[in-house]
Amino acid sequence: MRILVMGGTWFLGKHIAEGALGRGWQVTTFNRGRSGRDVDGVEPVHGDRTSRVDLERLAGHGPWDAVIDTSSSDLPPREVLAAATALSPAASRWVHISTVSVYEGWPHQPLTDVSPLLECPPDADESYGYTGPDGSPTQYGFQKSGGERAVATAFGDAAVFLRPGVILGPGEYVGRLPWWLERAKRGGRILAPAPAEQRIQPVDVRDVADFALTMAASSASGGYNVTHPQGATFRGFLEACLSETGGAGAPVWIDPAALVEQGVKQWTELPLWRTHAGVWAVDSSRAVAAGLECRPIADTVRDTWRWWAADGRPVDHPRWAEHGIDPEKEAKILASLA
């Protein structure tokens, strides 16, 4: 099996490259060579995926049985279309890492793999779409939906779309789980979003990588939600963070309405917390039937802490600064609600 990984040097792309090598596959990676070290054992090709010249040069390194694209999150659909079109003569399949944000109903409604998608043409530029007044839909979601249509234009039934919600695990660059781990380690009274038994569905990056490889080797097509089928309660998640870090913290479970009234930003100041009904109601049964296997979230917490304690922050990323509530603000809220 020969595959091309668009990206391949950090987080999901790195895990995919390492997993493919572990299966005995031949792996080519394509990236700019700026955000991480190439995985030992791959054939690295460096270039800019928005350059037609670089894409034509890359195609000469094929053919491949599949392309797995992990690096299109910040690109408009027209650039995804250009890359997929340029590489289609050299690849049999395309596995596209997308997002649950492509759905019209996210995060307000429970979702399945056949829920309606946001409309966006495959050749749209970066200006297409909008973000709603309540934060949904998002322009990002429109753009990613257009990216899916771009790949489908070039690959048809040989295209697979993986739609994760939140991906956690070793190598995380966004900072959600590392923030909770550091907060647990610091201890004290911890601002926590009620209800404590709310189930959350983050998925481990290694499980997403393994499923992407499974889909690359299959004849499957279409969209697959990639969320944890069992999930964990928020209480269980925080207890795992406290246990792994040895923190002597005590979560204080605060009603969501009170948190909103206090100006706590959902999704960022308390990572993984959001009040919308559908945010953690994404059905992944089709992916499970196709081979998705998810380890317990407590294992993700454990392994992320071990990686974080040993290696620390992997790369500089602008989203890192968005996550986590300021300690002074947290203390004031806890004092006001006591």
Side-chain angles (χ1 to χ4, degrees), residues 71-280:
S71 67
S72 67
S73 61
D74 296 326
L75 294 176
R78 66 179 181 183
E79 294 294 353
V80 179
L81 178 62
T85 301
L87 296 175
S88 60
S92 300
R93 294 173 57 70
W94 189 290
V95 178
H96 195 69
I97 307 302
S98 187
T99 169
V100 294
S101 296
V102 299
Y103 290 111
E104 288 182 3
W106 194 86
H108 298 281
Q109 303 167 6
L111 299 171
T112 71
D113 307 278
V114 296
S115 296
L117 304 182
L118 295 168
E119 289 292 332
C120 180
D123 58 351
D125 65 16
E126 60 275 3
S127 67
Y128 191 91
Y130 63 92
T131 296
D134 69 341
S136 62
T138 62
Q139 187 173 40
Y140 171 75
F142 281 102
Q143 293 276 310
K144 291 293 284 185
S145 180
E148 288 193 11
R149 291 190 63 186
V151 173
T153 298
F155 280 83
D157 290 339
V160 177
F161 308 105
L162 305 188
R163 299 167 182 154
V166 172
I167 304 177
L168 304 178
E172 184 196 336
Y173 62 90
V174 174
R176 294 183 178 104
L177 180 48
W179 183 84
W180 276 115
L181 287 165
E182 286 293 339
R183 180 63 191 88
K185 180 183 177 182
R186 182 155 54 91
R189 300 171 73 226
I190 300 173
L191 191 67
E197 303 311 313
Q198 168 68 54
R199 300 199 74 82
I200 58 177
Q201 296 179 286
V203 63
D204 192 290
V205 62
R206 295 163 293 182
D207 298 330
V208 180
D210 189 62
F211 186 57
L213 294 171
T214 296
M215 291 292 97
S218 76
S219 59
S221 64
Y224 293 81
N225 294 331
V226 186
T227 56
H228 202 297
Q230 290 82 39
T233 64
F234 221 115
R235 183 194 303 278
F237 170 75
L238 288 188
E239 287 177 348
C241 290
L242 288 163
S243 175
E244 292 302 329
T245 62
V252 180
W253 298 98
I254 305 298
D255 184 85
L259 293 176
V260 171
E261 185 178 346
Q262 292 287 334
V264 178
K265 295 178 182 177
Q266 299 185 47
W267 212 231
T268 54
E269 285 193 306
L270 290 182
L272 308 183
W273 168 63
R274 200 165 183 176
T275 58
H276 301 79
V279 69
W280 298 120

